[in-house]
Amino acid sequence: MRVIITENFKALSLYAAQQIAMAIRRKPNLVLGLATGRTPIGTYEELVKMHREEGLDFSKVVTFNLDEYHGLKPTDPSSYNYFMWEHLFKHININPENVYIPDGTIPVTGIREYCLWYENRINFFGGIDLQLLGIGNTGHIGFNDPGSSLASDTRLKVLSLKTKKQNGPDFGGADKVPDCAITMGIGTIMQAKTIILLASGSKKARILARALEEPVTSLVPASILQMHPWVKIVADEEAASKLRWKNHYRRVEEVRKRIGYEEVYVK
Ligand code: F6R
């Protein structure tokens, strides 16, 4: 696990976008796992800029989003489907047939089958090459709130009240946030070949420290990333402020830079 500490949100966004761009240039048909939320917005802005100014080509890229609220249509401005088109897809040359986002309109009775289909699609493309993640105030990744099985696959999850509160502003109040979401499981996420988790702002400092520097527990789902062989945590100064080992993480990056040691981030 590598921890990259950036000066601020802008630098975090640029770093993440550069990592993704590098992966796409190395593997034009990259299978990219994507997240929504406030944190990746800057990354998507940088990717759009790279597409416009440098011709970054998304025509063969396949994307799988982590999650979607249950009960929302793709046209609903609060849906993650809408979010992704607004912030990224409509600004780049992605083939709409290569975009996969869980469908929030599937009736409860069909969800199990639908989730298996979603998992199968990921496998059909050879698995996710690079998964982008944020971290929730509960320590969730995707919508896998505390108590989620660390081996879970794509399924319907009931959201915690804390998560509804976190996302309340997108709906005009926590009570208006849907109770359930379809989310990739923690097991699904852990199968991604490489992972980048973004954390920004002082509100994430405590949970990030718990996830990275305390024992792995289903009560802090992001802590499972300690068990992933190829993960980068990219945190801005504020989010990194409670990491006890932050000077060590900085030193690791300095030494790596000095000796010119950088792995290819697509396997
Ligand atoms: C979004 C997702 C969530 C968010 C997390 C952080 O697709 O899966 O896990 O990454 O809730 O959200 P922000 O970035 O808004 O703090």
Side-chain angles (χ1 to χ4, degrees):
M1 186 168 72
R2 280 173 70 184
V3 182
I4 318 288
I5 301 171
T6 65
E7 204 184 328
N8 51 32
F9 179 68
K10 190 158 175 46
L12 169 146
S13 303
L14 185 61
Y15 183 90
Q18 281 168 342
Q19 294 292 304
I20 294 169
M22 213 190 309
I24 294 173
R25 289 192 176 111
R26 289 216 169 100
K27 185 179 179 192
N29 59 346
L30 191 80
V31 182
L32 184 58
L34 294 172
T36 59
R38 280 160 289 279
T39 319
I41 290 177
T43 305
Y44 297 153
E45 280 170 8
E46 293 293 344
L47 285 173
V48 169
K49 210 163 138 203
M50 288 173 187
H51 169 67
R52 286 193 182 137
E53 294 173 9
E54 300 162 27
L56 183 63
D57 181 14
F58 290 83
S59 61
K60 295 194 182 68
V61 172
V62 180
T63 63
F64 284 92
N65 262 81
L66 282 167
D67 42 20
E68 177 61 286
Y69 292 107
H70 189 242
L72 297 196
K73 291 189 182 127
T75 48
D76 189 314
S78 300
S79 74
Y80 283 166
N81 195 306
Y82 190 92
F83 173 103
M84 287 309 302
W85 283 94
E86 280 305 302
H87 289 284
L88 183 64
F89 298 145
K90 78 175 185 191
H91 309 287
I92 58 176
N93 66 332
I94 193 136
N95 177 352
E97 284 180 9
N98 289 343
V99 169
Y100 292 88
I101 303 173
D103 181 351
T105 67
I106 300 289
V108 171
T109 48
I111 284 188
R112 193 63 208 135
E113 201 182 331
Y114 176 77
C115 291
L116 285 173
W117 174 84
Y118 202 75
E119 292 273 336
N120 284 337
R121 286 316 283 170
I122 296 174
N123 293 334
F124 172 83
F125 288 102
I128 292 173
D129 292 305
L130 173 54
Q131 175 68 55
L132 188 66
L133 295 175
I135 180 169
N137 296 345
T138 62
H140 71 207
I141 45 177
F143 267 136
N144 298 285
D145 270 324
S148 293
S149 158
L150 296 178
S152 49
D153 57 10
T154 303
R155 69 217 183 288
L156 185 78
K157 280 294 287 179
V158 174
L159 304 181
S160 69
L161 293 178
K162 207 170 167 186
T163 287
K164 287 186 60 157
K165 194 170 165 206
Q166 176 196 294
N167 292 357
D170 301 337
F171 289 83
D175 53 326
K176 298 198 181 72
V177 177
D179 276 319
C180 300
I182 296 177
T183 181
M184 273 187 208
I186 298 177
T188 322
I189 293 169
M190 288 296 281
Q191 278 168 30
K193 290 164 203 154
T194 64
I195 296 179
I196 294 179
L197 177 135
L198 306 177
S200 170
S202 55
K203 279 192 186 155
K204 299 289 170 68
R206 173 85 188 102
I207 196 69
L208 187 69
R210 286 185 67 195
L212 304 191
E213 298 182 335
E214 289 182 19
V216 174
T217 168
S218 64
L219 294 182
V220 183
S223 66
I224 190 68
L225 297 176
Q226 294 176 35
M227 307 287 286
H228 194 280
W230 207 263
V231 62
K232 265 186 187 175
I233 310 294
V234 189
D236 60 18
E237 286 287 356
E238 287 186 357
S241 61
K242 288 198 161 46
L243 295 176
R244 275 174 288 161
W245 279 77
K246 69 178 169 202
N247 290 336
H248 170 67
Y249 307 139
R250 282 206 181 92
R251 182 170 170 275
V252 169
E253 294 311 309
E254 272 161 29
V255 172
R256 292 178 79 111
K257 208 168 172 184
R258 176 154 44 82
I259 66 173
Y261 183 54
E262 188 61 52
E263 298 101 340
V264 176
Y265 222 58
V266 175
K267 288 192 171 173

